[in-house]
Amino acid sequence: RRRRHGWLVHRGEDVADLFEQAVASFTRVAELRPADEQPWLGRGLARANWAAMLIERGTPVPEDLFAAAETDFAESLRRNPFESYAWRFRGLLRINRGLERDREARSPESLYAEAAADLERAAELEPAAVTTRIEAGQAHQKRGEWRLQRAEDPAPAFAEAEACFAK
């Protein structure tokens, strides 16, 4: 085994069962503590990491995995709209979802815009989180690159990226 990007990657092994176990555990905690945002955040993060691992392996990500993670982050934010990690992780999930859409030759532009908005909100809640501002800039940059590939004006997206990077 080797550790990559916050999860264990087993050589030649299907680790879906590990992610399924994590999702089941967070589901149980959410049942026991329904008002708490943390189980929803944890379950969304487990699903988001599962999707990221599939992307890294070049495996198509089922749309329902993205949708379930996004729903979990939304539930976490409904319970606590000031949870910067939920905003950040939902933004990063949306970037990955956009990458998957782009790979499928579908428009990722709205996902990149939503990702940037989530990441900017996270940065507002945690002003010292420089990495989050950089990630917001990267979401705007991805949107600009996509527009450029389609011969559309990328300047507004690149300007927003530059503004994030300059903060």
Side-chain angles (χ1 to χ4, degrees), residues 20 25 29 44 49-50 54 70 81 86 89 102 119 131 161 165:
E20 288 171 358
S25 294
V29 174
N49 281 336
W50 189 353
L54 292 172
E70 201 158 324
F89 294 139
D102 193 16
L119 291 161
T131 303
F165 295 142

Side-chain angles (χ1 to χ4, degrees), residues 11 18 22 25 38 55 57 73 79 98-99 102 104 106 108 111 115 127 133 137 143-144:
R11 292 189 181 139
L18 297 175
S25 294
Q38 292 302 310
I55 288 170
R57 289 182 170 184
F73 290 135
R79 286 165 172 73
L99 291 171
D102 193 16
E104 297 168 349
R106 295 173 32 209
L111 284 169
R133 291 202 188 284
R143 195 174 101 238

Side-chain angles (χ1 to χ4, degrees), residues 3 13 18 23 25 27 42 44 50 57 61 65-66 85 88 108 110 118 128-129 137 140 156 164:
R3 190 159 172 85
E13 226 180 291
L18 297 175
V23 167
S25 294
T27 299
W50 189 353
R57 289 182 170 184
V61 180
L65 182 58
F66 281 126
Y85 288 115
R88 180 175 182 234
S110 64
D118 284 350
H140 287 299
C164 289

Side-chain angles (χ1 to χ4, degrees), residues 17-76:
D17 60 323
L18 297 175
F19 287 109
E20 288 171 358
Q21 290 171 21
V23 167
S25 294
F26 283 116
T27 299
R28 181 67 182 132
V29 174
E31 291 167 356
L32 295 171
R33 297 170 35 196
D36 191 352
E37 79 276 0
Q38 292 302 310
W40 296 93
L41 176 61
R43 189 169 72 177
L45 190 53
R47 288 174 167 154
N49 281 336
W50 189 353
M53 183 203 64
L54 292 172
I55 288 170
E56 184 175 298
R57 289 182 170 184
T59 304
V61 180
E63 183 62 28
D64 62 336
L65 182 58
F66 281 126
E70 201 158 324
T71 296
D72 288 338
F73 290 135
E75 278 301 311
S76 179

